[in-house]
Amino acid sequence: MADDMLAALVRPDKVHKRVYTDPAIFDLEMERIFGQAWIYVGHASQVPKPGDYWTTLIGREPVVMVRDRDGAIRVLYNRCPHKGAKLVADGCGHAGPLFRCPYHAWTFALDGRLRGVPFRQGYADTGFSLDDPQFSMRPVARIAERRGFVFCSLAEDGPGLEEYLGGALASIDNFADRAPEGEVEVAGGVMRVMQHSNWKIFFENLNDTGHPQATHESSFAAARRTVREKLGGKTPFQLHIIEGNGEPNSFWESLELRCYDHGHSYMDAIFNAPTDAISLEYRGQLEAAYGVERAQAILSMNRHNTIIYPSCSPHTGFQQLRVIRPISIDRTLVEIFTFRLKGTSDAFFQRTISYTNIVNSPSSTVMVDDVEVYRRCQEGMASDGGDWISQHRMAGHDTPFEGGLLGAGISEVPMRNQFRAWASYMGEAVA
């Protein structure tokens, strides 16, 4: 598809439905976006010891993140160069000192270099050499780590990770800073949801302040009724984080939406932790580690969803990270990870687990609302009912700043900003 045809699909206040429904466009996205951008692959805590590995996808490319014997983290294509078999099964595990292919037992060092092949005599006088790079596991082009969060790019050239993240970098730093010991670790496993919709629909919804009152009406109305009729007006944490979706229009209008180059954005927090014994203990731990002034500065950066386009969304306030894996034009795998702040109590971590279970787990009364409307969007866009998807809300009223755009709380600027990046990646920027 010609670049000028792609550019015609994105306009300042609307996009053509083909960007969500055309498999040829999805194929180009895997090449031009996921094959170029910095993509989140995992956290250093998932591979704590040499030989530990974690497998995932960068676009369609299967990769394995592994801790090398020297302590460095490597990210390699999960492919044996002999017959092309995936060297390790999906998930996590321990490879020991070497990777060993399950097909013909070729072995590789943890940095991917070929170390041995059976039947060595069969390779005599063939030009085969253990030192030839074509027979080693191929490393990804670039890898960078920030506070334990590991990103990769399949492109040899392009901006470095910090330049690429811009203002979204502060969300990663704040995530780690919130730990009294300055480090976080993946804990509590991973939950996975297969959504029957295009990957961009999920990302657009994260900072969409126009949907909570409508989409989540059933869940926040039930929470409020329970508080009123069963709990005498007292709101436990579990219901507090549900009923917040029912705030009045004035609340959503007052939020800040800040967008950065390359498609990143964040919105102000909409759920705040209650002032209870757990919160007071945590604040005391943070103040003991950093001092009162620094602890206050850390907690005052109170963001809801940060979008790190096009691969993940950290939520610093409740220590979770959602990662997207586009599968096809109408299938998206979303992985939900919970993190432990090192130096905090088990009770504090259990509250993190509660937030994830209640708001973002497959059995959540909140997520099910979102997943249903994502599916309806995908099905509706496949119909002949119209060709264009509106992004008109507050269009033309965003405030530019160096490196991005600032929008009022109800603006659809995060969506427009994502498509500004999309158009740039896909071939030709749209004014």
Side-chain angles (χ1 to χ4, degrees):
M1 182 178 295
D3 289 350
D4 58 347
M5 295 178 64
L6 285 169
L9 301 177
V10 179
R11 298 182 182 176
D13 53 13
K14 58 186 175 182
V15 297
H16 198 277
K17 68 180 184 182
R18 285 185 63 191
V19 303
Y20 304 96
T21 60
D22 189 334
I25 290 178
F26 179 84
D27 290 342
L28 283 175
E29 290 174 340
M30 296 303 99
E31 173 189 338
R32 299 186 180 184
I33 300 179
F34 288 84
Q36 298 289 326
W38 284 99
I39 305 297
Y40 176 78
V41 295
H43 192 268
S45 63
Q46 293 174 271
V47 288
K49 301 186 300 297
D52 289 347
Y53 67 82
W54 165 259
T55 67
T56 188
L57 294 169
I58 299 178
R60 286 175 167 160
E61 301 295 336
V63 298
V64 55
M65 180 177 73
V66 61
R67 178 80 67 174
D68 202 349
R69 297 176 68 178
D70 63 1
I73 291 177
R74 317 287 184 186
V75 178
L76 311 165
Y77 286 86
N78 190 3
R79 177 189 184 276
C80 178
H82 179 213
K83 293 294 185 180
K86 290 173 71 172
L87 273 159
V88 295
D90 293 342
C92 59
H94 183 75
L98 295 167
F99 287 116
R100 180 180 182 271
C101 181
Y103 195 5
H104 293 93
W106 283 31
T107 55
F108 305 85
L110 298 177
D111 64 1
R113 289 177 296 168
L114 181 62
R115 279 290 171 258
V117 297
F119 310 112
R120 284 289 299 277
Q121 69 277 12
Y123 293 93
D125 303 319
T126 65
F128 176 87
S129 170
L130 291 179
D131 298 325
D132 190 335
Q134 69 172 308
F135 300 119
S136 291
M137 295 175 69
R138 181 183 172 191
V140 299
R142 292 185 293 163
I143 179 173
E145 181 181 339
R146 181 74 177 196
R147 306 294 291 272
F149 295 86
V150 180
F151 292 79
C152 290
S153 174
L154 302 183
E156 296 285 351
D157 301 315
L161 178 63
E162 293 184 10
E163 179 186 352
Y164 174 79
L165 291 175
L169 184 68
S171 291
I172 292 179
D173 287 342
N174 185 252
F175 203 132
D177 286 343
R178 284 174 173 259
E181 295 180 11
E183 294 182 350
V184 300
E185 60 183 352
V186 173
V190 56
M191 290 183 284
R192 295 183 171 92
V193 180
M194 184 66 77
Q195 300 178 355
H196 291 212
S197 50
N198 187 268
W199 66 274
K200 296 184 291 297
I201 294 174
F202 171 77
F203 254 169
E204 291 168 29
N205 185 70
L206 291 180
N207 287 341
D208 176 9
T209 55
H211 85 278
Q213 285 183 303
T215 302
H216 301 302
E217 182 178 13
S218 61
S219 56
F220 76 69
R224 289 181 174 179
R225 186 166 58 251
T226 300
V227 168
R228 182 177 64 252
E229 298 177 2
K230 304 292 185 181
L231 302 177
K234 296 181 180 179
T235 306
F237 173 76
Q238 292 83 351
L239 297 183
H240 165 72
I241 57 178
I242 295 177
E243 68 169 4
N245 281 315
E247 295 289 352
N249 289 345
S250 58
F251 171 83
W252 303 105
E253 292 169 350
S254 69
L255 296 177
E256 179 179 274
L257 298 170
R258 190 170 289 268
C259 303
Y260 301 100
D261 292 343
H262 306 296
H264 316 311
S265 64
Y266 75 82
M267 63 182 289
D268 286 338
I270 62 174
F271 307 123
N272 295 300
T275 306
D276 57 8
I278 295 174
S279 296
L280 293 175
E281 178 190 43
Y282 165 61
R283 190 179 188 99
Q285 293 167 333
L286 206 61
E287 290 177 351
Y290 293 109
V292 174
E293 185 176 344
R294 173 64 177 146
Q296 177 58 33
I298 291 170
L299 295 177
S300 66
M301 184 182 288
N302 200 8
R303 301 177 177 182
H304 192 58
N305 296 320
T306 295
I307 292 173
I308 297 180
Y309 189 84
S311 66
C312 69
S313 175
H315 190 304
T316 58
F318 291 109
Q319 300 81 55
Q320 65 164 1
L321 181 76
R322 283 180 283 179
V323 182
I324 66 159
R325 310 291 181 201
I327 304 301
S328 67
I329 189 66
D330 60 357
R331 293 290 187 277
T332 304
L333 177 65
V334 176
E335 298 177 326
I336 305 102
F337 296 88
T338 52
F339 286 74
R340 185 192 303 274
L341 302 185
K342 290 187 177 181
T344 57
S345 66
D346 287 341
F348 186 86
F349 177 63
Q350 287 304 314
R351 190 165 69 185
T352 296
I353 295 293
S354 293
Y355 180 88
T356 305
N357 284 337
I358 292 166
V359 176
N360 286 321
S361 75
S363 60
S364 161
T365 59
V366 178
M367 176 186 269
V368 67
D369 296 332
D370 291 317
V371 172
E372 170 67 10
V373 295
Y374 300 162
R375 181 184 61 81
R376 291 195 189 190
C377 286
Q378 192 70 36
E379 292 177 353
M381 285 187 288
S383 75
D384 289 330
D387 290 335
W388 293 92
I389 308 302
S390 170
Q391 295 180 347
H392 286 81
R393 198 165 65 237
M394 299 296 290
H397 297 279
D398 306 318
T399 303
F401 64 89
E402 185 176 357
L405 295 166
L406 180 65
I410 58 169
S411 176
E412 288 179 314
V413 62
M415 301 76 161
R416 294 189 291 268
N417 187 60
Q418 287 172 42
F419 272 102
R420 184 164 64 105
W422 185 93
S424 178
Y425 275 117
M426 295 293 281
E428 184 173 335
V430 178

